[in-house]
Amino acid sequence: MNSILSIWLQFTLCVVVIGVAGVRLGRYGDAIAALTGLSRNWIGLILMATVTSLPELVTGLSAVTLAAAPDIAVGDVLGSCLFNLAILAMIDVVYRPGAIYAQVGSGHVVTAGFGVILMAGVALALMLSAQGWLPAIGHISVASPLIFVAYLVAMRVLYQTEQRSTCTTTGQRPNTSLKTALVGYGIASLVIVGAGIWLPLLGVELARVMGWSNSLVGTLFVAFVTSVPELATTWGAIRVGAIDMAFGNLLGSNLFDVLILTLDDFAYSKGPIFAHVTPTHAVSAIMGALMSGVVVVSLAYRPVSRVWHIASWGSLSLLTLYLCNTLFQFLQGY
């Protein structure tokens, strides 16, 4: 019992550390947007999405090297993608000034669309690898360079989309200097990286003491912890009315998270990572593609009404799909 209590206390500590750093990250990110004149969409998509995904990056690399647990690495990435999309639905539930899908820029449709493509590509890679139909280049799956190229194409298209937009930050000028904001941003980033190195080791130990699979622990528990920065920065962005930054952070994080899978594949020396994990991860990838598709439709249709005064039909669909995947993973990994 003492070992179980100890591991859960360490997990809680990790959540608190990453959460506090994530809140600071959101505040400094908003300040950088205001001080540089960059749009909150672009700040959220590139700057904040990259740094709030650092826990997934560090956790994944640590999982495939130090912990030798590729299922935790893949489960963390895919579980984080699903949780990020669920956060969008949570925003819709708690944000009462108006319908969130009607208030954000149209450029987010492109980001969500690339999310569908990348998540579907991961699902295909996992299913083909499970059947032994996907070739490898040394110990690297051929899917990894293809996903990497797709990510670069997405960034290029999103940059061009942003250049066509006239949207700029609308927040008030913060009472801080750009240097202070950048330094604070860097310190918060370092704290997140440190916690991310520690996390997969906790995940392996949690799976052992609870008798759960690494896939379950990675997809649900580790993914939740590494998504705390997204949750914290999204809450911070919503509090200052930066809806575009919140959307850009969450959708951009998903694109970067998928890229992390290719880096994990390069770091995993025992063979293609897609062939060394449980096939149940394909279900998470398919759910991620479906949820991203729901976001695309919601952004295009821009629903303004709420079902039972709770949230739009799009957000309720996101929550339903997330809960379905959670139940499936729990039944498979318990």
Side-chain angles (χ1 to χ4, degrees):
M1 176 61 73
N2 288 336
S3 62
I4 295 177
L5 179 60
S6 174
I7 196 67
W8 281 111
L9 286 176
Q10 291 179 68
F11 244 85
T12 302
L13 178 60
C14 218
V15 171
V16 173
V17 169
I18 293 178
V20 171
V23 170
R24 304 302 299 177
L25 201 68
R27 292 177 182 174
Y28 288 125
D30 185 63
I32 293 171
L35 292 167
T36 59
L38 295 173
S39 75
R40 279 172 164 165
N41 180 16
W42 195 240
I43 285 288
L45 176 63
I46 299 299
L47 188 61
M48 294 184 66
T50 301
V51 176
T52 55
S53 291
L54 282 180
E56 286 88 346
L57 174 60
V58 179
T59 297
L61 294 177
S62 180
V64 298
T65 54
L66 299 178
D71 273 304
I72 285 185
V74 175
D76 176 34
V77 165
L78 297 178
S80 294
C81 288
L82 269 64
F83 190 74
N84 289 342
L85 294 171
I87 293 175
L88 283 181
M90 298 176 198
I91 295 174
D92 197 17
V93 173
V94 301
Y95 189 73
R96 291 296 164 175
I100 59 171
Y101 298 107
Q103 296 187 34
V104 296
S106 59
H108 296 297
V109 176
V110 181
T111 312
F114 274 111
V116 176
I117 295 172
L118 290 175
M119 294 296 289
V122 171
L124 185 61
L126 287 165
M127 290 187 290
L128 292 178
S129 296
Q131 299 297 322
W133 292 347
L134 201 62
I137 305 172
H139 70 277
I140 302 168
S141 171
V142 71
S144 291
L146 294 177
I147 292 173
F148 182 76
V149 170
Y151 176 81
L152 294 180
V153 171
M155 290 299 102
R156 175 62 178 172
V157 172
L158 290 171
Y159 175 76
Q160 292 176 335
T161 302
E162 181 67 19
Q163 290 296 102
R164 297 171 187 167
S165 174
T166 58
C167 176
T168 57
T169 182
T170 57
Q172 295 181 348
R173 190 172 182 85
N175 296 321
T176 186
S177 66
L178 180 59
K179 179 181 179 180
T180 300
L182 291 173
V183 170
Y185 194 92
I187 293 174
S189 301
L190 290 175
V191 172
I192 289 174
V193 169
I197 295 174
W198 181 31
L199 190 55
L201 303 178
L202 293 179
V204 171
E205 184 64 15
L206 178 64
R208 185 189 67 81
V209 299
M210 298 299 296
W212 294 339
S213 70
N214 284 346
S215 173
L216 171 64
V217 171
T219 303
L220 299 185
F221 296 98
V222 176
F224 166 73
V225 178
T226 57
S227 293
V228 168
E230 283 88 352
L231 182 61
T233 53
T234 297
W235 176 249
I238 293 300
R239 290 185 63 184
V240 298
I243 306 295
D244 273 301
M245 182 187 289
F247 266 72
N249 177 31
L250 293 171
L251 297 178
S253 291
N254 277 10
L255 299 186
F256 190 79
D257 284 349
V258 175
L259 176 66
I260 290 172
L261 282 179
T262 69
L263 303 179
D264 292 342
D265 192 17
F266 276 83
Y268 189 64
S269 60
K270 295 182 180 180
I273 195 171
F274 297 107
H276 284 75
V277 295
T278 176
T280 56
H281 291 299
V283 176
S284 295
I286 292 171
M287 285 293 190
L290 289 174
M291 292 174 71
S292 297
V294 170
V295 175
V296 171
V297 175
S298 297
L299 290 171
Y301 182 70
R302 295 180 177 271
V304 294
S305 61
R306 297 177 184 267
V307 179
W308 301 316
H309 304 286
I310 299 175
S312 69
W313 57 264
S315 295
L316 294 180
S317 299
L318 291 176
L319 290 175
T320 300
L321 289 171
Y322 179 79
L323 292 175
C324 286
N325 185 72
T326 299
L327 178 61
F328 174 81
Q329 296 296 334
F330 185 79
L331 293 176
Q332 290 294 314
Y334 182 71

